[in-house]
Every structure is written in C-alpha cells, then in structure tokens.
Amino acid sequence: MSVFSHFFSPADIISTVEFNHTGELLATGDKGGRVVIFQREPESKNEPYNQGEYNVYSTFQSHEPEFDYLKSLEIEEKINKIKWLPQQNAAHSLLSTNDKTIKLWKITERDKRPEGYNLKDEEGKLKDLSTVTSLQVPVLKPMDLMVEVTPRRIFANGHTYHVNSISVNSDCETYMSADDLRINLWHLAITDRSFNIVDIKPANMEDLTEVITASEFHPHHCNLFVYSSSKGSLRLCDMRASALCDKHSKLYEEPEDPSNRSFFSEIISSVSDVKFSHSGRYMLTRDYLTVKVWDLNMETKPVETYQVHDYLRSKLCSLYENDCIFDKFECAWNGSDSVIMTGAYNNFFRMFDRNTKRDVTLEASRESSKPRAILKPRRVCVGGKRRKDDISVDSLDFMKKILHTAWHPTENIIAIAATNNLYIFQDKVNSEMH
C-alpha cells in the first residue's frame, strides 16, 4: 500500500489515473497540467514487503494555461485524460489531453552518454577545426539513469467543445477524441487533420437534448466503438457501415421506472463513464447512483445493476444545491472482468463481485495507508439504529470524493485518486476482492 501526496493546492488535485498495458507504469494527471509517472519496483527477495511498490519515475508539465482570443475564453491546463499506447520498442508513449489539445509524449531511458567527439568539446561546443589533429572513436560511458520525456506530436484545433475522453484503437494506428457534441478519429502520425465520425450538434442549438459524456473503442474489433450520453443511453457504432456514424448500430437504453420519476431523474441518469470489459463482451457504465453491466447482445436493459450509494436518494436536493449531483465518477474492471470498482463520497470506494454478488465499501484514508494495513469494510447507515463503526449518512463529507480509479490489467492492484492523494492498494494474500 502506498500513498503519494504533497502540500495541497488546487493545482495538485488529481484529474485522471491510468495504468499502462503491463501495469508496470502508472500515470496521473492533475489540474495544474502535470503528468506524474510511477514505476513498479522489481521484486526483491531480501525485502518481500517492498515487492511491487510504485515509486515516482518521471514528472513533466504536459499542458499550460492558454487563452482563446476568438471566444475570449481561458483554456485550463487541467489534464482530462491519459491513455497509454501499446509498447512497440524500448520507449513508452502516452496521449494526454486538456479541454482542447491532445499531445503524444515519448518516454525514454538513458544510462550511457557518448564521450570523445571529434568536432565538439565535452560541453558540446564546436571545437576550432585547426586544433583537431587526430581522429578518435567516441565511446559510450555509463551515467546515472535519466528519464527523458519528449513531445512527439500535438493534435490541436480538432474540438470546439471540451474533450471528455480519448481512446486508442486496437489497430495501434488510430485513436478517437470526444467532446460534448462530436467524436473525431485521428491517425497517430498525422496532426493537421482528423475525421469527424460522430456529430450530434443540431442545426439549432435550442433543439439540443443530450450531449456525449464518454466514448471508448472496442478492445479487439477496431471498427467498433461506443459512446454514452447525458440521457443515460449507449450507442454502439460500426465504422464499416458509413464514414459518419450518426446512425448507431445498437442503442442500449433502460426504460425508466415511472415510480422513481423525480425532478432529478434526468440528471442522475446521465452516464459519466463507459468501459468495455477486457473480453469485449460487456460494457460497464456509471451514472450518479449506480453501476450497470450491459451485454453487447442485449439492448433492452443491463444484465446487472449495482447500487453504489442508494442512501443518497433522499439527499438529492442538497446535492443539487452544492453541485455534487454533477460529479462525474469513473468505473473500472479487474483483469478477469469478475469484479468492478467505482468511487463514492467520504473517500469511500465500492467493489462488486459479479460471481458471488458480494459488495464492499472501503475507505482511502491516512489510517489505511500504513504499510501492510488491512482495509476494513465501512458501512453507511440511514436509520436511527447504528452499529459501532457505522457512519451516519448525515456525517458524510461530500468534498472528499473518489472520482478517478484504475485497476492493474492483470493483478489485484488498484490506484485511487482522492483529491490530491494517490493511494495504491495491493492484495498480497489472495485474489478475493478485499
């Protein structure tokens, strides 16, 4: 179990968390436009308790604040999403985006440096050629490991509205970026043009009824992608059908229960995140109160629905007044698609075992961040009767919220972003969910 934090300022608030494809690296982005990459330490026989610890590998400034003079708008430097590219060689690559600009970064290691140039001195300045009397072969000398991060490409001017998601295609050549009304397809090698594959902008903006909230490519079929909407629906699109995917192949929507209808129904049904399972058979969605698992072959309703914090149903009015009802929680699958995870308030996060139907509430806190500490399940109570360790729904801290989570692709290691703290929990004993 690790915890990373520092003196707290608004720029330090973590805004995205993402493991790479092997799980050896973990990247976080924050409101200040920085990306911090953590690397997993190799296992040591002498110190078994330190195996798999993540330590800071590299930190770099990805985005700076900008100003759009045409619209007189400030463009925040906050990193909205990070996506790793599958590794092709010794270098690692990742995409990071703020509201408008996507950047491709290359991360390389250097532990040797060439010495003995013919035409340059040791500081790299050109020598006076008249002093060069003999030729020498430069040699590589070992040096302290240096991690170099270089910007390879900048994909700008593709979006009028705020970018909410990016997703790398399984063809490893293209990726897509989505904003409120449009989805663009980019080639990783071409920065000056993208192809608009979804456009839901109406001719008259007064007719606008929904916006795109998230999108993702299918993990195996490079022609399929899904996008979610603020109306709670999912649209699966096939790029083989037409160049513009405004006509979806499948629409996944759950009819609303009329008995639950309220002023807040539409707000809380908005999907804040959608993730394909590793197998590609299911989709996981998060709305304000629930996580749902959808089978790609069944459009009428989800196959599983899990209540994340149903005790907030009676609190929707105050959550609307303090704007918390608009919080966008993410969700994640474990490596075998058997357990799902999502965040909640009071620095709680929830796990649901799809096989046993057991669920657990855990807390990311300073107390639980001591090495080898075991996470204790937490319970929130609504009524008057209360067990010893229960927490009353009225004493929950809505400013402490876990919006961003990530699960290691193969192991039981999870990363939890709680405001400016990154918690990394590891299950060393067994493969159960707690």
Side-chain angles (χ1 to χ4, degrees), residues 159 167 169 171 173-177 183-187 190 193-198 217 222 225 239 243:
H159 288 277
S167 178
N169 199 343
D171 64 11
E173 286 187 3
T174 55
Y175 76 92
M176 69 177 174
S177 55
I183 301 176
N184 291 340
L185 181 70
W186 302 80
H187 193 286
I190 302 166
R193 67 177 182 273
S194 61
F195 297 95
N196 181 226
I197 52 174
V198 172
F217 269 119
C222 61
F225 67 92
M239 291 193 290

Side-chain angles (χ1 to χ4, degrees), residues 227-245:
Y227 70 91
S228 58
S229 89
S230 56
K231 275 195 162 174
S233 58
L234 301 172
R235 289 174 175 85
L236 187 72
C237 301
D238 189 339
M239 291 193 290
R240 294 172 302 186
S242 68
L244 193 64
C245 300

Side-chain angles (χ1 to χ4, degrees), residues 326-337:
F326 301 107
D327 285 335
K328 293 176 168 55
F329 292 94
E330 294 170 8
C331 50
W333 298 90
N334 73 338
S336 61
D337 299 334

Side-chain angles (χ1 to χ4, degrees), residues 262-280:
S262 75
F263 168 75
F264 305 108
S265 294
E266 202 158 299
I267 303 171
I268 63 171
S269 66
S270 175
V271 173
S272 54
D273 195 19
V274 58
K275 295 265 170 53
F276 277 106
S277 62
H278 295 80
S279 67

Side-chain angles (χ1 to χ4, degrees), residues 269-325:
S269 66
S270 175
V271 173
S272 54
D273 195 19
V274 58
K275 295 265 170 53
F276 277 106
S277 62
H278 295 80
S279 67
R281 169 76 189 268
Y282 299 100
M283 295 178 293
L284 176 64
T285 61
R286 171 73 206 258
D287 56 41
Y288 192 64
L289 294 177
T290 67
V291 276
K292 293 173 179 164
V293 176
W294 300 79
D295 188 321
L296 256 65
N297 302 324
M298 190 163 108
E299 297 169 66
T300 49
K301 62 174 197 270
V303 286
E304 297 157 36
T305 299
Y306 301 98
Q307 301 295 332
V308 177
H309 37 209
D310 203 43
Y311 46 79
L312 295 185
R313 232 173 248 285
S314 60
K315 297 240 172 280
L316 293 177
C317 205
S318 56
L319 289 162
Y320 178 75
E321 283 166 5
N322 66 14
D323 277 353
C324 284
I325 202 167

Side-chain angles (χ1 to χ4, degrees), residues 335-348:
S336 61
D337 299 334
S338 60
V339 183
I340 53 186
M341 167 175 67
T342 192
Y345 291 109
N346 212 64
N347 277 3
F348 289 166

Side-chain angles (χ1 to χ4, degrees), residues 208-226:
L208 184 68
T209 58
E210 63 182 332
V211 294
I212 297 166
T213 55
S215 68
E216 191 179 59
F217 269 119
H218 191 280
H220 313 306
H221 302 301
C222 61
N223 51 291
L224 293 179
F225 67 92
V226 67

